[in-house]
Amino acid sequence: MRDPETFFRALSDPTRLRCLLLLMAEGRLCVCEFVHALDLSQPRVSRHLGHLRDLGIVLDERRGQWVHYRLHPALPQWAHDVLEAAFQAEGLRDIRQRLASMPDRPSAACD
Amino acid sequence: MRDPETFFRALSDPTRLRCLLLLMAEGRLCVCEFVHALDLSQPRVSRHLGHLRDLGIVLDERRGQWVHYRLHPALPQWAHDVLEAAFQAEGLRDIRQRLASMPDRPSAACD
DNA sequence: TCCTTATATACGGATATCCATATATGCGTG
DNA sequence: CACGCATATATGGATATCCGTATATAAGGA
């Protein structure tokens, strides 16, 4: 992650912000879990995750037919602090509940 | 300040981000001081400050022919935390130096 | 190999953002 | 009132962003 303003622009989209806050809460998720939790189209989620990957904010890892995403381990402390502050402000309750109600979650299966 | 993503969008522009970090450091500044410190055109600075005002992020106060800006007192804690984290990440040294070298600063004069 | 599922990308259009330039407003002074 | 300085806004064009739809790629299983 380069400069703060690029990071803030990444967080200025509701899809991307929710993806990142979900990752903070859950640690690691695959695309179909984002799609279910956020109730958005697959291309939309995939495009935004790809954007976050290109910026070095998240890291992807293929496991069989699934691709798992997590926060990039090299994310600087100030970026973590920003995400933490956003997490305070954002509800996120209903979204995490919808994720929990997803049947046959791939992340739960493997490890 | 309503939601985090609107706040992040406001911070995603370099002009606005620098204005806010300058306000964090200096407390209160008038438009011509921003113009001098950031070396940008007056309409550009004024437009971005107006944007921040409309969002409830800063507060303006006319003092004679000058208009002073400061962070909005009602800014929630999480927004302060975000600005604090950005302040850590951003250098800002040269900019504050350029401000300090400004002759006849209006903010210093009155109060 | 064929089919299914999961994920990624390409395309085109609608909308938003940002800027420079020009002009308007507001205040203080003579 | 006329002028000068500080600040705000309007206009138009260039560029970026975001989306839905359609399609491409990749892996696993029959």
PDB file of all heavy atoms in Angstrom, chain C residues 2-3 12 19 27-30, chain D residues 1-4 19 28-29:
ATOM      1  P    DC C   2     -15.800 -33.186 -26.176  1.00  0.00           P
ATOM      2  OP1  DC C   2     -16.430 -33.672 -27.417  1.00  0.00           O
ATOM      3  OP2  DC C   2     -15.007 -31.949 -26.160  1.00  0.00           O
ATOM      4  O5'  DC C   2     -16.942 -33.084 -25.060  1.00  0.00           O
ATOM      5  C5'  DC C   2     -17.748 -34.245 -24.792  1.00  0.00           C
ATOM      6  C4'  DC C   2     -18.548 -34.004 -23.534  1.00  0.00           C
ATOM      7  O4'  DC C   2     -17.676 -34.117 -22.385  1.00  0.00           O
ATOM      8  C3'  DC C   2     -19.218 -32.641 -23.416  1.00  0.00           C
ATOM      9  O3'  DC C   2     -20.532 -32.812 -22.918  1.00  0.00           O
ATOM     10  C2'  DC C   2     -18.335 -31.876 -22.445  1.00  0.00           C
ATOM     11  C1'  DC C   2     -17.876 -33.009 -21.532  1.00  0.00           C
ATOM     12  N1   DC C   2     -16.592 -32.769 -20.832  1.00  0.00           N
ATOM     13  C2   DC C   2     -16.433 -33.199 -19.502  1.00  0.00           C
ATOM     14  O2   DC C   2     -17.368 -33.779 -18.946  1.00  0.00           O
ATOM     15  N3   DC C   2     -15.255 -32.974 -18.876  1.00  0.00           N
ATOM     16  C4   DC C   2     -14.259 -32.347 -19.511  1.00  0.00           C
ATOM     17  N4   DC C   2     -13.120 -32.161 -18.856  1.00  0.00           N
ATOM     18  C5   DC C   2     -14.405 -31.904 -20.863  1.00  0.00           C
ATOM     19  C6   DC C   2     -15.577 -32.130 -21.478  1.00  0.00           C
ATOM     20  P    DC C   3     -21.564 -31.598 -22.902  1.00  0.00           P
ATOM     21  OP1  DC C   3     -22.850 -32.116 -23.416  1.00  0.00           O
ATOM     22  OP2  DC C   3     -20.925 -30.415 -23.529  1.00  0.00           O
ATOM     23  O5'  DC C   3     -21.737 -31.325 -21.350  1.00  0.00           O
ATOM     24  C5'  DC C   3     -22.027 -32.415 -20.477  1.00  0.00           C
ATOM     25  C4'  DC C   3     -21.889 -31.963 -19.042  1.00  0.00           C
ATOM     26  O4'  DC C   3     -20.483 -31.897 -18.698  1.00  0.00           O
ATOM     27  C3'  DC C   3     -22.472 -30.575 -18.761  1.00  0.00           C
ATOM     28  O3'  DC C   3     -23.328 -30.646 -17.639  1.00  0.00           O
ATOM     29  C2'  DC C   3     -21.252 -29.706 -18.505  1.00  0.00           C
ATOM     30  C1'  DC C   3     -20.260 -30.727 -17.948  1.00  0.00           C
ATOM     31  N1   DC C   3     -18.841 -30.351 -18.128  1.00  0.00           N
ATOM     32  C2   DC C   3     -17.959 -30.485 -17.037  1.00  0.00           C
ATOM     33  O2   DC C   3     -18.394 -30.916 -15.965  1.00  0.00           O
ATOM     34  N3   DC C   3     -16.652 -30.138 -17.195  1.00  0.00           N
ATOM     35  C4   DC C   3     -16.227 -29.670 -18.374  1.00  0.00           C
ATOM     36  N4   DC C   3     -14.942 -29.357 -18.475  1.00  0.00           N
ATOM     37  C5   DC C   3     -17.104 -29.531 -19.491  1.00  0.00           C
ATOM     38  C6   DC C   3     -18.401 -29.882 -19.329  1.00  0.00           C
ATOM     39  P    DG C  12     -17.522  -2.183 -27.255  1.00  0.00           P
ATOM     40  OP1  DG C  12     -17.923  -2.556 -28.612  1.00  0.00           O
ATOM     41  OP2  DG C  12     -16.272  -1.456 -26.994  1.00  0.00           O
ATOM     42  O5'  DG C  12     -18.723  -1.356 -26.602  1.00  0.00           O
ATOM     43  C5'  DG C  12     -19.881  -2.039 -26.199  1.00  0.00           C
ATOM     44  C4'  DG C  12     -20.838  -1.107 -25.479  1.00  0.00           C
ATOM     45  O4'  DG C  12     -20.598  -1.199 -24.061  1.00  0.00           O
ATOM     46  C3'  DG C  12     -20.733   0.376 -25.836  1.00  0.00           C
ATOM     47  O3'  DG C  12     -22.035   0.904 -25.996  1.00  0.00           O
ATOM     48  C2'  DG C  12     -19.975   0.987 -24.675  1.00  0.00           C
ATOM     49  C1'  DG C  12     -20.330   0.068 -23.514  1.00  0.00           C
ATOM     50  N9   DG C  12     -19.260  -0.099 -22.541  1.00  0.00           N
ATOM     51  C8   DG C  12     -17.903  -0.062 -22.789  1.00  0.00           C
ATOM     52  N7   DG C  12     -17.180  -0.234 -21.714  1.00  0.00           N
ATOM     53  C5   DG C  12     -18.118  -0.392 -20.692  1.00  0.00           C
ATOM     54  C6   DG C  12     -17.919  -0.612 -19.312  1.00  0.00           C
ATOM     55  O6   DG C  12     -16.864  -0.713 -18.699  1.00  0.00           O
ATOM     56  N1   DG C  12     -19.142  -0.715 -18.645  1.00  0.00           N
ATOM     57  C2   DG C  12     -20.371  -0.624 -19.242  1.00  0.00           C
ATOM     58  N2   DG C  12     -21.424  -0.744 -18.438  1.00  0.00           N
ATOM     59  N3   DG C  12     -20.567  -0.425 -20.528  1.00  0.00           N
ATOM     60  C4   DG C  12     -19.398  -0.316 -21.190  1.00  0.00           C
ATOM     61  P    DC C  19      -8.320  18.890  -8.561  1.00  0.00           P
ATOM     62  OP1  DC C  19      -6.986  18.573  -8.018  1.00  0.00           O
ATOM     63  OP2  DC C  19      -9.339  19.513  -7.702  1.00  0.00           O
ATOM     64  O5'  DC C  19      -8.123  19.820  -9.842  1.00  0.00           O
ATOM     65  C5'  DC C  19      -7.460  19.280 -10.974  1.00  0.00           C
ATOM     66  C4'  DC C  19      -7.724  20.151 -12.178  1.00  0.00           C
ATOM     67  O4'  DC C  19      -9.104  19.999 -12.553  1.00  0.00           O
ATOM     68  C3'  DC C  19      -7.532  21.633 -11.899  1.00  0.00           C
ATOM     69  O3'  DC C  19      -6.259  22.040 -12.387  1.00  0.00           O
ATOM     70  C2'  DC C  19      -8.661  22.313 -12.678  1.00  0.00           C
ATOM     71  C1'  DC C  19      -9.532  21.181 -13.180  1.00  0.00           C
ATOM     72  N1   DC C  19     -10.981  21.347 -12.855  1.00  0.00           N
ATOM     73  C2   DC C  19     -11.885  21.605 -13.890  1.00  0.00           C
ATOM     74  O2   DC C  19     -11.452  21.715 -15.042  1.00  0.00           O
ATOM     75  N3   DC C  19     -13.189  21.746 -13.598  1.00  0.00           N
ATOM     76  C4   DC C  19     -13.607  21.628 -12.319  1.00  0.00           C
ATOM     77  N4   DC C  19     -14.904  21.761 -12.080  1.00  0.00           N
ATOM     78  C5   DC C  19     -12.698  21.354 -11.260  1.00  0.00           C
ATOM     79  C6   DC C  19     -11.402  21.226 -11.570  1.00  0.00           C
ATOM     80  P    DC C  27     -20.157  40.394   4.507  1.00  0.00           P
ATOM     81  OP1  DC C  27     -20.429  39.530   5.675  1.00  0.00           O
ATOM     82  OP2  DC C  27     -21.185  41.317   4.007  1.00  0.00           O
ATOM     83  O5'  DC C  27     -18.847  41.234   4.841  1.00  0.00           O
ATOM     84  C5'  DC C  27     -17.646  40.525   5.120  1.00  0.00           C
ATOM     85  C4'  DC C  27     -16.471  41.468   5.016  1.00  0.00           C
ATOM     86  O4'  DC C  27     -16.257  41.826   3.641  1.00  0.00           O
ATOM     87  C3'  DC C  27     -16.646  42.789   5.771  1.00  0.00           C
ATOM     88  O3'  DC C  27     -15.568  42.944   6.676  1.00  0.00           O
ATOM     89  C2'  DC C  27     -16.652  43.856   4.682  1.00  0.00           C
ATOM     90  C1'  DC C  27     -15.866  43.165   3.577  1.00  0.00           C
ATOM     91  N1   DC C  27     -16.170  43.650   2.206  1.00  0.00           N
ATOM     92  C2   DC C  27     -15.118  44.077   1.393  1.00  0.00           C
ATOM     93  O2   DC C  27     -13.972  44.059   1.830  1.00  0.00           O
ATOM     94  N3   DC C  27     -15.398  44.516   0.144  1.00  0.00           N
ATOM     95  C4   DC C  27     -16.653  44.531  -0.302  1.00  0.00           C
ATOM     96  N4   DC C  27     -16.882  44.961  -1.554  1.00  0.00           N
ATOM     97  C5   DC C  27     -17.739  44.087   0.515  1.00  0.00           C
ATOM     98  C6   DC C  27     -17.456  43.663   1.757  1.00  0.00           C
ATOM     99  P    DG C  28     -15.556  44.075   7.789  1.00  0.00           P
ATOM    100  OP1  DG C  28     -15.098  43.491   9.055  1.00  0.00           O
ATOM    101  OP2  DG C  28     -16.836  44.799   7.705  1.00  0.00           O
ATOM    102  O5'  DG C  28     -14.402  45.044   7.253  1.00  0.00           O
ATOM    103  C5'  DG C  28     -13.117  44.492   6.997  1.00  0.00           C
ATOM    104  C4'  DG C  28     -12.221  45.545   6.373  1.00  0.00           C
ATOM    105  O4'  DG C  28     -12.636  45.777   5.004  1.00  0.00           O
ATOM    106  C3'  DG C  28     -12.257  46.899   7.082  1.00  0.00           C
ATOM    107  O3'  DG C  28     -10.926  47.388   7.181  1.00  0.00           O
ATOM    108  C2'  DG C  28     -13.124  47.763   6.171  1.00  0.00           C
ATOM    109  C1'  DG C  28     -12.858  47.157   4.790  1.00  0.00           C
ATOM    110  N9   DG C  28     -13.972  47.266   3.866  1.00  0.00           N
ATOM    111  C8   DG C  28     -15.296  46.997   4.129  1.00  0.00           C
ATOM    112  N7   DG C  28     -16.078  47.166   3.091  1.00  0.00           N
ATOM    113  C5   DG C  28     -15.208  47.569   2.076  1.00  0.00           C
ATOM    114  C6   DG C  28     -15.475  47.903   0.722  1.00  0.00           C
ATOM    115  O6   DG C  28     -16.562  47.905   0.134  1.00  0.00           O
ATOM    116  N1   DG C  28     -14.313  48.261   0.048  1.00  0.00           N
ATOM    117  C2   DG C  28     -13.050  48.292   0.601  1.00  0.00           C
ATOM    118  N2   DG C  28     -12.062  48.658  -0.201  1.00  0.00           N
ATOM    119  N3   DG C  28     -12.796  47.983   1.873  1.00  0.00           N
ATOM    120  C4   DG C  28     -13.907  47.634   2.537  1.00  0.00           C
ATOM    121  P    DT C  29     -10.648  48.756   7.977  1.00  0.00           P
ATOM    122  OP1  DT C  29      -9.387  48.544   8.721  1.00  0.00           O
ATOM    123  OP2  DT C  29     -11.866  49.207   8.667  1.00  0.00           O
ATOM    124  O5'  DT C  29     -10.358  49.761   6.780  1.00  0.00           O
ATOM    125  C5'  DT C  29      -9.502  49.346   5.715  1.00  0.00           C
ATOM    126  C4'  DT C  29      -9.398  50.450   4.656  1.00  0.00           C
ATOM    127  O4'  DT C  29     -10.500  50.352   3.720  1.00  0.00           O
ATOM    128  C3'  DT C  29      -9.428  51.860   5.219  1.00  0.00           C
ATOM    129  O3'  DT C  29      -8.481  52.645   4.525  1.00  0.00           O
ATOM    130  C2'  DT C  29     -10.856  52.329   4.904  1.00  0.00           C
ATOM    131  C1'  DT C  29     -11.091  51.632   3.570  1.00  0.00           C
ATOM    132  N1   DT C  29     -12.504  51.414   3.207  1.00  0.00           N
ATOM    133  C2   DT C  29     -12.894  51.624   1.904  1.00  0.00           C
ATOM    134  O2   DT C  29     -12.134  51.981   1.030  1.00  0.00           O
ATOM    135  N3   DT C  29     -14.226  51.393   1.668  1.00  0.00           N
ATOM    136  C4   DT C  29     -15.181  50.987   2.593  1.00  0.00           C
ATOM    137  O4   DT C  29     -16.347  50.806   2.250  1.00  0.00           O
ATOM    138  C5   DT C  29     -14.707  50.793   3.930  1.00  0.00           C
ATOM    139  C7   DT C  29     -15.653  50.359   5.000  1.00  0.00           C
ATOM    140  C6   DT C  29     -13.399  51.013   4.182  1.00  0.00           C
ATOM    141  P    DG C  30      -8.020  54.004   5.210  1.00  0.00           P
ATOM    142  OP1  DG C  30      -6.577  53.857   5.454  1.00  0.00           O
ATOM    143  OP2  DG C  30      -8.934  54.375   6.326  1.00  0.00           O
ATOM    144  O5'  DG C  30      -8.232  55.032   4.013  1.00  0.00           O
ATOM    145  C5'  DG C  30      -7.773  54.690   2.716  1.00  0.00           C
ATOM    146  C4'  DG C  30      -8.585  55.433   1.653  1.00  0.00           C
ATOM    147  O4'  DG C  30      -9.931  54.892   1.622  1.00  0.00           O
ATOM    148  C3'  DG C  30      -8.723  56.926   1.909  1.00  0.00           C
ATOM    149  O3'  DG C  30      -8.517  57.629   0.691  1.00  0.00           O
ATOM    150  C2'  DG C  30     -10.179  57.099   2.350  1.00  0.00           C
ATOM    151  C1'  DG C  30     -10.858  55.969   1.597  1.00  0.00           C
ATOM    152  N9   DG C  30     -12.086  55.501   2.232  1.00  0.00           N
ATOM    153  C8   DG C  30     -12.268  55.164   3.547  1.00  0.00           C
ATOM    154  N7   DG C  30     -13.488  54.772   3.825  1.00  0.00           N
ATOM    155  C5   DG C  30     -14.154  54.854   2.615  1.00  0.00           C
ATOM    156  C6   DG C  30     -15.508  54.554   2.290  1.00  0.00           C
ATOM    157  O6   DG C  30     -16.404  54.150   3.026  1.00  0.00           O
ATOM    158  N1   DG C  30     -15.753  54.775   0.934  1.00  0.00           N
ATOM    159  C2   DG C  30     -14.831  55.223   0.021  1.00  0.00           C
ATOM    160  N2   DG C  30     -15.274  55.372  -1.219  1.00  0.00           N
ATOM    161  N3   DG C  30     -13.575  55.509   0.314  1.00  0.00           N
ATOM    162  C4   DG C  30     -13.300  55.293   1.624  1.00  0.00           C
TER     163       DG C  30
ATOM    164  P    DC D   1     -23.993  53.540  -3.289  1.00  0.00           P
ATOM    165  OP1  DC D   1     -25.024  52.670  -3.665  1.00  0.00           O
ATOM    166  OP2  DC D   1     -22.980  53.237  -2.327  1.00  0.00           O
ATOM    167  O5'  DC D   1     -23.454  54.309  -4.581  1.00  0.00           O
ATOM    168  C5'  DC D   1     -23.144  55.684  -4.390  1.00  0.00           C
ATOM    169  C4'  DC D   1     -21.693  55.911  -4.761  1.00  0.00           C
ATOM    170  O4'  DC D   1     -20.902  56.023  -3.559  1.00  0.00           O
ATOM    171  C3'  DC D   1     -21.059  54.778  -5.575  1.00  0.00           C
ATOM    172  O3'  DC D   1     -20.159  55.353  -6.518  1.00  0.00           O
ATOM    173  C2'  DC D   1     -20.283  53.995  -4.533  1.00  0.00           C
ATOM    174  C1'  DC D   1     -19.819  55.115  -3.609  1.00  0.00           C
ATOM    175  N1   DC D   1     -19.551  54.677  -2.201  1.00  0.00           N
ATOM    176  C2   DC D   1     -18.278  54.901  -1.685  1.00  0.00           C
ATOM    177  O2   DC D   1     -17.404  55.442  -2.395  1.00  0.00           O
ATOM    178  N3   DC D   1     -18.011  54.511  -0.405  1.00  0.00           N
ATOM    179  C4   DC D   1     -18.972  53.941   0.320  1.00  0.00           C
ATOM    180  N4   DC D   1     -18.683  53.576   1.572  1.00  0.00           N
ATOM    181  C5   DC D   1     -20.274  53.723  -0.193  1.00  0.00           C
ATOM    182  C6   DC D   1     -20.513  54.093  -1.446  1.00  0.00           C
ATOM    183  P    DA D   2     -19.795  54.564  -7.831  1.00  0.00           P
ATOM    184  OP1  DA D   2     -19.995  55.519  -8.954  1.00  0.00           O
ATOM    185  OP2  DA D   2     -20.478  53.263  -7.835  1.00  0.00           O
ATOM    186  O5'  DA D   2     -18.231  54.334  -7.687  1.00  0.00           O
ATOM    187  C5'  DA D   2     -17.371  55.462  -7.551  1.00  0.00           C
ATOM    188  C4'  DA D   2     -15.985  54.994  -7.148  1.00  0.00           C
ATOM    189  O4'  DA D   2     -16.009  54.593  -5.752  1.00  0.00           O
ATOM    190  C3'  DA D   2     -15.467  53.786  -7.936  1.00  0.00           C
ATOM    191  O3'  DA D   2     -14.082  53.976  -8.173  1.00  0.00           O
ATOM    192  C2'  DA D   2     -15.716  52.620  -6.993  1.00  0.00           C
ATOM    193  C1'  DA D   2     -15.482  53.279  -5.641  1.00  0.00           C
ATOM    194  N9   DA D   2     -16.165  52.654  -4.523  1.00  0.00           N
ATOM    195  C8   DA D   2     -17.438  52.163  -4.494  1.00  0.00           C
ATOM    196  N7   DA D   2     -17.792  51.672  -3.329  1.00  0.00           N
ATOM    197  C5   DA D   2     -16.662  51.834  -2.539  1.00  0.00           C
ATOM    198  C6   DA D   2     -16.381  51.511  -1.207  1.00  0.00           C
ATOM    199  N6   DA D   2     -17.274  50.932  -0.390  1.00  0.00           N
ATOM    200  N1   DA D   2     -15.160  51.816  -0.726  1.00  0.00           N
ATOM    201  C2   DA D   2     -14.266  52.399  -1.552  1.00  0.00           C
ATOM    202  N3   DA D   2     -14.419  52.756  -2.833  1.00  0.00           N
ATOM    203  C4   DA D   2     -15.645  52.446  -3.265  1.00  0.00           C
ATOM    204  P    DC D   3     -13.376  53.058  -9.280  1.00  0.00           P
ATOM    205  OP1  DC D   3     -12.656  53.971 -10.196  1.00  0.00           O
ATOM    206  OP2  DC D   3     -14.367  52.084  -9.792  1.00  0.00           O
ATOM    207  O5'  DC D   3     -12.292  52.259  -8.433  1.00  0.00           O
ATOM    208  C5'  DC D   3     -11.440  52.989  -7.536  1.00  0.00           C
ATOM    209  C4'  DC D   3     -10.901  52.052  -6.497  1.00  0.00           C
ATOM    210  O4'  DC D   3     -11.944  51.703  -5.567  1.00  0.00           O
ATOM    211  C3'  DC D   3     -10.366  50.730  -7.053  1.00  0.00           C
ATOM    212  O3'  DC D   3      -8.975  50.666  -6.854  1.00  0.00           O
ATOM    213  C2'  DC D   3     -11.132  49.643  -6.278  1.00  0.00           C
ATOM    214  C1'  DC D   3     -11.657  50.418  -5.072  1.00  0.00           C
ATOM    215  N1   DC D   3     -12.909  49.869  -4.509  1.00  0.00           N
ATOM    216  C2   DC D   3     -12.957  49.500  -3.157  1.00  0.00           C
ATOM    217  O2   DC D   3     -11.955  49.659  -2.459  1.00  0.00           O
ATOM    218  N3   DC D   3     -14.109  48.996  -2.637  1.00  0.00           N
ATOM    219  C4   DC D   3     -15.171  48.844  -3.419  1.00  0.00           C
ATOM    220  N4   DC D   3     -16.279  48.350  -2.871  1.00  0.00           N
ATOM    221  C5   DC D   3     -15.153  49.199  -4.797  1.00  0.00           C
ATOM    222  C6   DC D   3     -14.012  49.697  -5.302  1.00  0.00           C
ATOM    223  P    DG D   4      -8.161  49.418  -7.437  1.00  0.00           P
ATOM    224  OP1  DG D   4      -6.850  49.909  -7.888  1.00  0.00           O
ATOM    225  OP2  DG D   4      -9.035  48.657  -8.344  1.00  0.00           O
ATOM    226  O5'  DG D   4      -7.926  48.545  -6.127  1.00  0.00           O
ATOM    227  C5'  DG D   4      -7.361  49.147  -4.968  1.00  0.00           C
ATOM    228  C4'  DG D   4      -7.226  48.103  -3.870  1.00  0.00           C
ATOM    229  O4'  DG D   4      -8.542  47.814  -3.337  1.00  0.00           O
ATOM    230  C3'  DG D   4      -6.661  46.769  -4.357  1.00  0.00           C
ATOM    231  O3'  DG D   4      -5.827  46.221  -3.342  1.00  0.00           O
ATOM    232  C2'  DG D   4      -7.892  45.912  -4.572  1.00  0.00           C
ATOM    233  C1'  DG D   4      -8.838  46.429  -3.489  1.00  0.00           C
ATOM    234  N9   DG D   4     -10.238  46.315  -3.838  1.00  0.00           N
ATOM    235  C8   DG D   4     -10.801  46.515  -5.074  1.00  0.00           C
ATOM    236  N7   DG D   4     -12.097  46.339  -5.078  1.00  0.00           N
ATOM    237  C5   DG D   4     -12.401  46.000  -3.762  1.00  0.00           C
ATOM    238  C6   DG D   4     -13.646  45.691  -3.170  1.00  0.00           C
ATOM    239  O6   DG D   4     -14.757  45.661  -3.698  1.00  0.00           O
ATOM    240  N1   DG D   4     -13.506  45.408  -1.808  1.00  0.00           N
ATOM    241  C2   DG D   4     -12.311  45.428  -1.121  1.00  0.00           C
ATOM    242  N2   DG D   4     -12.380  45.125   0.166  1.00  0.00           N
ATOM    243  N3   DG D   4     -11.145  45.710  -1.676  1.00  0.00           N
ATOM    244  C4   DG D   4     -11.267  45.982  -2.985  1.00  0.00           C
ATOM    245  P    DC D  19     -20.443  -0.530  -8.361  1.00  0.00           P
ATOM    246  OP1  DC D  19     -21.178  -0.591  -7.098  1.00  0.00           O
ATOM    247  OP2  DC D  19     -19.204  -1.295  -8.527  1.00  0.00           O
ATOM    248  O5'  DC D  19     -21.445  -0.939  -9.537  1.00  0.00           O
ATOM    249  C5'  DC D  19     -22.557  -0.100  -9.793  1.00  0.00           C
ATOM    250  C4'  DC D  19     -23.169  -0.483 -11.127  1.00  0.00           C
ATOM    251  O4'  DC D  19     -22.263  -0.091 -12.173  1.00  0.00           O
ATOM    252  C3'  DC D  19     -23.358  -1.985 -11.276  1.00  0.00           C
ATOM    253  O3'  DC D  19     -24.724  -2.319 -11.132  1.00  0.00           O
ATOM    254  C2'  DC D  19     -22.873  -2.292 -12.695  1.00  0.00           C
ATOM    255  C1'  DC D  19     -22.389  -0.967 -13.250  1.00  0.00           C
ATOM    256  N1   DC D  19     -21.050  -1.065 -13.889  1.00  0.00           N
ATOM    257  C2   DC D  19     -20.930  -0.859 -15.261  1.00  0.00           C
ATOM    258  O2   DC D  19     -21.951  -0.602 -15.911  1.00  0.00           O
ATOM    259  N3   DC D  19     -19.705  -0.951 -15.837  1.00  0.00           N
ATOM    260  C4   DC D  19     -18.638  -1.229 -15.084  1.00  0.00           C
ATOM    261  N4   DC D  19     -17.453  -1.306 -15.686  1.00  0.00           N
ATOM    262  C5   DC D  19     -18.742  -1.436 -13.679  1.00  0.00           C
ATOM    263  C6   DC D  19     -19.962  -1.347 -13.121  1.00  0.00           C
ATOM    264  P    DG D  28      -8.597 -29.050  -8.590  1.00  0.00           P
ATOM    265  OP1  DG D  28      -8.134 -28.999  -7.199  1.00  0.00           O
ATOM    266  OP2  DG D  28      -7.735 -29.617  -9.655  1.00  0.00           O
ATOM    267  O5'  DG D  28      -9.991 -29.818  -8.636  1.00  0.00           O
ATOM    268  C5'  DG D  28     -11.165 -29.123  -8.237  1.00  0.00           C
ATOM    269  C4'  DG D  28     -12.371 -30.017  -8.395  1.00  0.00           C
ATOM    270  O4'  DG D  28     -12.956 -29.806  -9.702  1.00  0.00           O
ATOM    271  C3'  DG D  28     -12.068 -31.524  -8.314  1.00  0.00           C
ATOM    272  O3'  DG D  28     -13.102 -32.156  -7.588  1.00  0.00           O
ATOM    273  C2'  DG D  28     -12.046 -31.974  -9.771  1.00  0.00           C
ATOM    274  C1'  DG D  28     -13.009 -31.003 -10.446  1.00  0.00           C
ATOM    275  N9   DG D  28     -12.647 -30.678 -11.812  1.00  0.00           N
ATOM    276  C8   DG D  28     -11.397 -30.436 -12.312  1.00  0.00           C
ATOM    277  N7   DG D  28     -11.381 -30.163 -13.591  1.00  0.00           N
ATOM    278  C5   DG D  28     -12.717 -30.235 -13.961  1.00  0.00           C
ATOM    279  C6   DG D  28     -13.319 -30.033 -15.227  1.00  0.00           C
ATOM    280  O6   DG D  28     -12.782 -29.739 -16.303  1.00  0.00           O
ATOM    281  N1   DG D  28     -14.696 -30.184 -15.164  1.00  0.00           N
ATOM    282  C2   DG D  28     -15.394 -30.496 -14.021  1.00  0.00           C
ATOM    283  N2   DG D  28     -16.718 -30.614 -14.145  1.00  0.00           N
ATOM    284  N3   DG D  28     -14.842 -30.694 -12.828  1.00  0.00           N
ATOM    285  C4   DG D  28     -13.505 -30.546 -12.878  1.00  0.00           C
ATOM    286  P    DG D  29     -13.008 -33.723  -7.279  1.00  0.00           P
ATOM    287  OP1  DG D  29     -13.431 -33.904  -5.878  1.00  0.00           O
ATOM    288  OP2  DG D  29     -11.714 -34.262  -7.759  1.00  0.00           O
ATOM    289  O5'  DG D  29     -14.168 -34.300  -8.232  1.00  0.00           O
ATOM    290  C5'  DG D  29     -15.459 -33.680  -8.217  1.00  0.00           C
ATOM    291  C4'  DG D  29     -16.349 -34.305  -9.261  1.00  0.00           C
ATOM    292  O4'  DG D  29     -15.991 -33.807 -10.573  1.00  0.00           O
ATOM    293  C3'  DG D  29     -16.258 -35.831  -9.343  1.00  0.00           C
ATOM    294  O3'  DG D  29     -17.537 -36.350  -9.641  1.00  0.00           O
ATOM    295  C2'  DG D  29     -15.302 -36.040 -10.505  1.00  0.00           C
ATOM    296  C1'  DG D  29     -15.714 -34.902 -11.427  1.00  0.00           C
ATOM    297  N9   DG D  29     -14.695 -34.482 -12.374  1.00  0.00           N
ATOM    298  C8   DG D  29     -13.350 -34.321 -12.139  1.00  0.00           C
ATOM    299  N7   DG D  29     -12.686 -33.922 -13.190  1.00  0.00           N
ATOM    300  C5   DG D  29     -13.650 -33.818 -14.183  1.00  0.00           C
ATOM    301  C6   DG D  29     -13.526 -33.434 -15.546  1.00  0.00           C
ATOM    302  O6   DG D  29     -12.506 -33.093 -16.157  1.00  0.00           O
ATOM    303  N1   DG D  29     -14.758 -33.470 -16.194  1.00  0.00           N
ATOM    304  C2   DG D  29     -15.944 -33.827 -15.608  1.00  0.00           C
ATOM    305  N2   DG D  29     -17.015 -33.790 -16.394  1.00  0.00           N
ATOM    306  N3   DG D  29     -16.071 -34.189 -14.343  1.00  0.00           N
ATOM    307  C4   DG D  29     -14.889 -34.160 -13.692  1.00  0.00           C
TER     308       DG D  29
END
